[in-house]
Amino acid sequence: MERTGPFLFLVILLFLAGASAAIYRHGSYGMPYLPGTEQGVWEIEARIRYTATQPQTKVRLTLPTQQSGLRTIRESTASSGFGFYTESSKNADQTTANWSKSDAAGQQLLFYQLNLLEDPEYTVPVRPPGPLQQPTWVEPYRTAASEVLDTLRPQSADARSLAEQIRTALRTVPLDQNLALLLSNYNRPDRDAAAELAARAELIADLLNEAGYAAQEVQVLVLEDGIRRQTLSPHVRVWDGEQWLLLDPSARVVNDQAASVLWQPRDAGVLEVTGGSNSNLTFSVIRQVRSALDVAVEGQERAQFSLYSLPIAEQGMFKLIMLLPVGALVVVFMRLVVGLKTSGTFMPILLALAFLQTELVPGVISLLLVVMLGLMLRTYLSALNLLLVARIATLVILVIGIITVVSIISYEMGLISGLTISFFPMIILAWTIERMAILWEEEGPREVLVQGSGSLLVAILAFTLMDTPSIKHLAFNFPELHLCVLAIVLLLGRYTGYRLSELIRFAPFYNVPEIDELEQLR
């Protein structure tokens, strides 16, 4: 007997390969396991306006860093007459968009669009902070900073609590004299609301660094649906020993960091314009709920060796082809385990594919009508003593004629569903009629009824499974799962036990005393 070890190893290998590839596709492209899954997508549009003062002008925009929970799925730009390229920093943690033009004049308008997918499973490795950057305090600011920290340190236990204490103290009215002195060193001449917020963020970061905690001021785009002409908001990023926390100077610690986009540390500069003046950077944000499948398809269309890279017509063809292994699994199970007899080994699969085109009830009625008419005509052909090849060719022509007549009559009667009869495989129907006729002559009408009803039952079961939306989705979008189907078929191919139909057939012998005695002797 052939050893089962290598066989089981092959089956397990096929199953694990198919499952692993499906998990990889889900993780890399976000392909959903179930149809109808929806995900939120943030569409961000950055608009740059400036006045060109020189013909040769350059614009450099720092792009947001990758962050957990928000996965970039699409980037695009609209800049008439400008050259465009992107470049990454040496450590590849920051990317910039660059525009250039040699004949600029007057007002210039540039657009950069970014689509971010809400993906809780998407994670970015956390980069710990580098060496602390101690602020360069001068008197009397050094003394004021020391007194502020001496007051607030006893009320805090870590970086997060100290940052919250500083933020609260800055909002206290009247403001502490030391904090007021420190703010006067950071405030800009214009003293608008944005400058005041930026000064508070920079002061909080410097005080935390002075206390020995890693912190830095960053620029953040707050995600809010329907916002137009929004600017970046200064925040403070604090390292708590394990992760970065985001602190809004005007509010509390930002717990849901997926609701904001970390753009860039302030000292690096977000927008730089060469050869222009009066530059302005604003953002518009909108949130859309899109099908997770559509989002994943956008990523797979740009990938190699993907069904979505094929032309549309071929994709439609493969959506049917990819269902054939599912039908084959049903046929193998029903014949080897259940024990049903069918007219032809895999004819039920072809019938199930036809039912997918015709729908079940019209398809069954059309099939029975064609087979009954074909058997009647085949009875007449048997009297002509034709050779097999000529008889089959005659049946093919007659089946085509029957389908044509039924289609015309259905159309004239207003039964549009009758037109779908043309989807049935005509050659297979001709062979089925021939085999049923021979079976009738050799074994009688009962065997024809058994095999015919078995074929129809298996075809209906295969159609039911193949027509399930989740099966259609998995078969086409996760083709590697067919390796799992192959593994199951191989296992069923080694099944040598009783079939369910045989258990029913031999049921009367279960209580025979002689058989019980033989079983006891064993």
Side-chain angles (χ1 to χ4, degrees):
M1 181 180 293
E2 185 179 353
R3 293 181 300 172
T4 60
F7 172 76
L8 291 178
F9 175 78
L10 175 62
V11 170
I12 295 174
L13 182 63
L14 288 172
F15 194 89
L16 291 179
S20 301
I23 294 173
Y24 173 79
R25 187 182 298 274
H26 173 74
S28 299
Y29 298 101
M31 181 65 67
Y33 290 124
L34 296 176
T37 306
E38 294 183 338
Q39 289 179 297
V41 176
W42 291 98
E43 297 185 3
I44 303 172
E45 179 186 85
R47 179 176 300 190
I48 304 172
R49 292 180 181 270
Y50 73 98
T51 303
T53 57
Q54 299 178 9
Q56 295 182 349
T57 179
K58 296 181 180 180
V59 178
R60 180 178 179 271
L61 174 65
T62 301
L63 302 182
T65 57
Q66 297 292 326
Q67 65 186 76
S68 301
L70 292 174
R71 181 162 55 91
T72 302
I73 59 174
R74 186 178 182 182
E75 297 178 88
S76 61
T77 181
S79 49
S80 178
F82 279 81
F84 176 80
Y85 66 94
T86 59
E87 61 178 351
S88 301
S89 58
K90 293 182 180 179
N91 53 9
D93 63 345
Q94 194 70 61
T95 306
T96 58
N98 299 269
W99 291 268
S100 60
K101 193 175 185 180
S102 60
D103 57 349
Q107 288 288 331
Q108 304 295 321
L109 182 60
L110 305 174
F111 293 93
Y112 177 82
Q113 295 180 341
L114 179 68
N115 288 4
L116 299 177
L117 175 68
E118 295 176 352
D119 187 358
E121 299 180 1
Y122 179 72
T123 57
V124 176
V126 179
R127 297 176 62 90
L132 287 178
Q133 297 181 356
Q134 296 292 340
T136 56
W137 303 102
V138 296
E139 295 296 346
Y141 304 109
R142 176 178 294 277
T143 301
S146 299
E147 292 182 0
V148 169
L149 291 176
D150 291 341
T151 303
L152 299 179
R153 270 175 173 167
Q155 305 172 16
S156 60
D158 51 18
R160 176 171 182 170
S161 58
L162 180 57
E164 182 61 27
Q165 292 297 328
I166 298 173
R167 188 206 66 82
T168 303
L170 286 171
R171 294 177 59 86
T172 303
V173 180
L175 188 63
D176 180 78
Q177 292 182 355
N178 291 317
L179 288 175
L181 176 62
L182 291 172
L183 275 179
S184 65
N185 185 42
Y186 289 94
N187 278 329
R188 278 63 172 174
D190 48 13
R191 300 282 296 182
D192 60 0
E196 179 72 18
L197 198 61
R200 290 173 180 266
E202 190 174 357
L203 175 57
I204 294 174
D206 285 346
L207 287 174
L208 289 171
N209 286 325
E210 180 69 19
Y213 298 115
Q216 60 181 172
E217 183 195 0
V218 294
Q219 294 294 302
V220 169
L221 177 63
V222 179
L223 298 179
E224 186 176 350
D225 188 20
I227 290 297
R228 300 176 59 213
R229 298 186 180 90
Q230 181 180 355
T231 58
L232 297 177
S233 175
H235 282 56
V236 180
R237 195 163 65 144
V238 184
W239 178 257
D240 70 347
E242 296 181 356
Q243 62 179 344
W244 288 102
L245 302 176
L246 204 58
L247 177 71
D248 185 351
S250 61
R252 295 184 177 274
V253 174
V254 180
N255 294 320
D256 185 12
Q257 298 192 25
S260 56
V261 178
L262 177 63
W263 212 269
Q264 173 71 3
R266 186 175 180 83
D267 55 3
V270 175
L271 177 65
E272 296 180 6
V273 178
T274 303
S277 61
N278 301 324
S279 60
N280 182 32
L281 173 63
T282 57
F283 297 87
S284 299
V285 181
I286 187 173
R287 183 181 185 274
Q288 293 185 348
V289 177
R290 297 175 56 186
S291 168
L293 177 60
D294 294 339
V295 174
V297 167
E298 290 183 5
Q300 290 209 103
E301 285 178 343
R302 299 185 293 269
Q304 294 181 342
F305 305 107
S306 170
L307 289 176
Y308 285 101
S309 63
L310 297 175
I312 300 297
E314 279 68 23
Q315 289 186 35
M317 177 184 64
F318 272 98
K319 282 191 174 182
L320 288 177
I321 292 177
M322 288 298 174
L323 293 173
L324 288 175
V326 179
L329 177 61
V330 174
V331 171
V332 171
F333 178 82
M334 296 301 295
R335 293 201 57 166
L336 299 184
V337 178
V338 178
L340 280 182
K341 295 182 179 180
T342 61
S343 179
T345 305
F346 290 104
M347 185 196 70
I349 302 179
L350 300 177
L351 295 181
L353 284 178
F355 291 158
L356 289 175
Q357 305 293 326
T358 63
E359 297 183 359
L360 183 59
V361 176
V364 171
I365 295 175
S366 301
L367 173 65
L368 295 177
L369 179 62
V370 172
V371 171
M372 286 189 297
L373 291 176
L375 285 175
M376 294 173 59
L377 294 174
R378 171 61 175 75
T379 304
Y380 171 73
L381 292 178
S382 62
L384 300 179
N385 295 324
L386 297 177
L387 296 176
L388 177 62
V389 176
R391 189 166 64 244
I392 297 297
T394 304
L395 278 176
V396 170
I397 297 174
L398 292 176
V399 167
I400 294 175
I402 293 172
I403 291 176
T404 303
V405 172
V406 171
S407 298
I408 294 175
I409 295 176
S410 299
Y411 179 76
E412 294 294 336
M413 296 178 61
L415 302 176
I416 304 300
S417 59
L419 299 177
T420 58
I421 193 176
S422 59
F423 288 106
F424 283 101
M426 301 176 188
I427 304 297
I428 300 300
L429 285 180
W431 267 109
T432 301
I433 295 171
E434 175 65 19
R435 294 182 63 176
M436 285 186 174
I438 296 176
L439 191 64
W440 189 303
E441 295 172 355
E442 295 180 351
E443 300 188 25
R446 182 181 180 279
E447 189 65 23
V448 173
L449 182 62
V450 169
Q451 293 192 16
S453 59
S455 299
L456 187 59
L457 177 59
V458 174
I460 292 175
L461 291 176
F463 161 79
T464 303
L465 194 61
M466 295 162 66
D467 196 46
T468 304
S470 57
I471 297 297
K472 287 183 175 180
H473 173 82
L474 291 173
F476 183 76
N477 295 289
F478 294 91
E480 52 275 353
L481 289 179
H482 293 310
L483 294 176
C484 300
V485 176
L486 175 59
I488 298 174
V489 169
L490 291 176
L491 279 178
L492 293 176
R494 297 288 289 268
Y495 178 74
T496 57
Y498 283 107
R499 293 173 173 83
L500 296 180
S501 59
E502 292 176 341
L503 294 177
I504 299 174
R505 176 185 175 188
F506 294 111
F509 295 95
Y510 289 163
N511 298 322
V512 177
E514 291 79 359
I515 296 180
D516 293 338
E517 293 177 1
L518 291 175
E519 292 294 335
Q520 292 177 1
L521 292 175
R522 290 182 181 179

